[in-house]
Amino acid sequence: MKRNIILIISLLIISAWLLVSCGDAATPPAEPAQEEAAPAPAEKVTLRFWALQNPPFIAGFETLIKAYQQEHPNVEIKLETFDYDTYIQTLQTSMPAGQEADVIQLFGTWTAEYAERLAPLPESVMSIAEAEELFYAAPLGGYIVDGKLYGLPQEFNCEYGGVLVNKTKFEEAGLTYPPQWKTMADVVSDAKALTKNDDAGMMSTAGFHFTAMDPVVFAFLAGILQRGGDYWNADQTGFTFNTPEAKATLQAMVDLVNAGVVDPVLFNDSENWVVDAFFQDKVGIGTMGAWAIAEGRANYPDFESEWDYFFLPPQAGNEPLFVADSGWGLVVSPNSQHQNVAWDFAKFITANPDNARLWNIASGTIP
């Protein structure tokens, strides 16, 4: 049994390197910022814009698209959205054929894979030096390949360190709320009290659901850092996990499963995914990035249990070290007949601080 648990968690970690996180979210604020408009094209211009399919992302985009079109009456932007799996397949098939949209929402860590099929950002629009003044290094770094900037980031993606907590379940179990966790042992203690099995002995409520790909991989990397290790190899060109710190972190994850706070066979990405399971009242504590807050509000508006979002204590040591990702941002197709307008639209959304903030609030992402 223990070997099976190690295999399951190891496969989650490995798989997470192949599929990068996505998120949904909430409601955009009132009005986007108006700025000095770029010269309007003389002829009518229609841009296709591809984005991830989820209501909160789309709500933010629709508000900003409307504002941009008001400033540029000759520009029409057609938003086309895809669910996550379909989006990946669409990018992989359409880009080699040169049939992609003019503007594409792309995850930063995918940029190197697609760089040969993307238009570099012209320095007249923004130089790397200007982008480095405007954006944090972590989200921007994903869009720089071989010294060229290929896109503008929208979020600082962090999938470790915060958890959804069901207040109703805490109170029913007689636990202190808000939780007063000082160590992971405190979390495990609460999680055990929250865990429930049905009459057949199958887990019906996971006390601490962490066995989805995003939280597993980032908790694994954070655990290595918090134990004083590193996951880069000596020349910083790849990764090494055959270290005492990596083994200790993987063992800690196995110990969590053995403690009975989650069943990774029943609670994973394909069944009882952490955000859905939490808002279906099947989880006491669920670990996921902050975008899960808006995802839950948008998709489960009638959820009756009270809940909130809290920090986790470090797995080891005293510093809550974590690993972040270069998240969603905008890139432009080299096959677009209107690259100048496409880049102007991308800059309008991402580089105007007020507009960028509007989208972050709508999507529940970190600015």
Side-chain angles (χ1 to χ4, degrees):
M1 177 63 179
K2 183 173 180 180
R3 289 182 63 187
N4 290 340
I5 293 168
I6 294 173
L7 178 61
I8 289 167
I9 296 177
S10 299
L11 287 173
L12 281 168
I13 291 169
I14 293 166
S15 299
W17 292 107
L18 305 178
L19 296 173
V20 187
S21 57
C22 63
D24 296 4
T27 331
E31 294 294 334
Q34 302 297 312
E35 59 180 24
E36 186 176 345
E43 76 283 4
K44 176 76 173 180
V45 169
T46 299
L47 295 181
R48 294 168 66 208
F49 175 25
W50 282 358
L52 186 68
Q53 186 179 83
N54 63 75
F57 277 29
I58 293 167
F61 281 136
E62 287 179 339
T63 301
L64 292 167
I65 288 169
K66 181 179 178 181
Y68 187 83
Q69 290 179 154
Q70 286 176 342
E71 290 188 16
H72 304 80
N74 286 353
V75 178
E76 179 185 9
I77 298 168
K78 293 185 175 180
L79 178 63
E80 304 169 29
T81 64
F82 307 83
D83 67 75
Y84 186 73
D85 291 336
T86 304
Y87 198 22
I88 293 174
Q89 294 169 9
T90 302
L91 293 173
Q92 291 173 342
T93 56
S94 64
M95 295 183 81
Q99 297 175 345
E100 67 278 2
D102 300 272
V103 181
I104 302 168
Q105 187 184 33
L106 196 71
F107 212 78
T109 48
W110 301 349
T111 306
E113 178 184 354
Y114 291 104
E116 293 182 356
R117 305 186 188 282
L118 300 175
L121 181 64
E123 288 219 353
S124 59
V125 177
M126 186 179 297
S127 68
I128 290 181
E130 290 170 329
E132 288 172 341
E133 287 291 317
L134 188 61
F135 300 104
Y136 287 119
L140 181 64
Y143 295 93
I144 299 175
V145 181
D146 295 331
K148 293 182 180 180
L149 183 58
Y150 285 91
L152 297 171
Q154 293 180 279
E155 62 154 341
F156 194 125
N157 186 263
C158 185
E159 298 294 347
Y160 169 79
V163 286
L164 299 159
V165 175
N166 188 311
K167 177 183 178 183
T168 303
K169 289 188 181 300
F170 261 66
E171 292 178 343
E172 288 174 352
L175 300 173
T176 300
Y177 188 92
Q180 304 298 308
W181 302 322
K182 295 190 183 333
T183 67
M184 281 301 297
D186 298 331
V187 179
V188 174
S189 177
D190 283 355
K192 286 180 178 179
L194 293 165
T195 302
K196 292 182 179 179
N197 294 331
D198 61 21
D199 293 339
M202 303 287 283
M203 185 174 288
S204 56
T205 299
F208 180 39
H209 187 351
F210 71 94
T211 46
M213 283 191 297
D214 287 342
V216 160
V217 73
F218 286 97
F220 179 62
L221 298 178
I224 293 170
L225 296 182
Q226 291 173 13
R227 288 173 171 84
D230 198 357
Y231 45 82
W232 290 103
N233 58 19
D235 61 5
Q236 300 280 298
T237 60
F239 306 102
T240 179
F241 299 117
N242 188 22
T243 64
E245 294 83 9
K247 292 175 182 178
T249 302
L250 180 57
Q251 185 61 55
M253 291 181 171
V254 172
D255 291 344
L256 277 173
V257 175
N258 286 334
V261 298
V262 67
D263 183 342
V265 176
L266 298 177
F267 291 83
N268 49 62
D269 275 329
S270 58
E271 184 175 359
N272 289 317
W273 177 60
V274 58
V275 179
D276 288 340
F278 181 87
F279 288 100
Q280 290 167 359
D281 233 11
K282 298 178 182 179
V283 172
I285 304 165
T287 179
M288 189 57 79
W291 56 266
I293 299 169
E295 164 102 348
R297 287 174 174 165
N299 293 344
Y300 297 91
D302 299 324
F303 183 59
E304 294 184 356
S305 291
E306 291 187 67
W307 60 281
D308 213 327
Y309 194 78
F310 294 96
F311 291 116
L312 279 177
Q315 300 176 42
N318 297 316
E319 289 190 77
L321 301 174
F322 66 94
V323 176
D325 212 351
S326 182
W328 293 105
L330 301 183
V331 300
V332 168
S333 166
N335 300 307
S336 172
Q337 300 301 304
H338 306 285
Q339 288 187 38
N340 59 330
V341 181
W343 278 121
D344 187 65
F345 171 65
K347 185 177 178 181
F348 176 85
I349 287 183
T350 61
N352 178 300
D354 292 328
N355 291 345
R357 185 180 303 111
L358 183 152
W359 190 84
N360 286 131
I361 291 172
S363 60
T365 51
I366 302 172

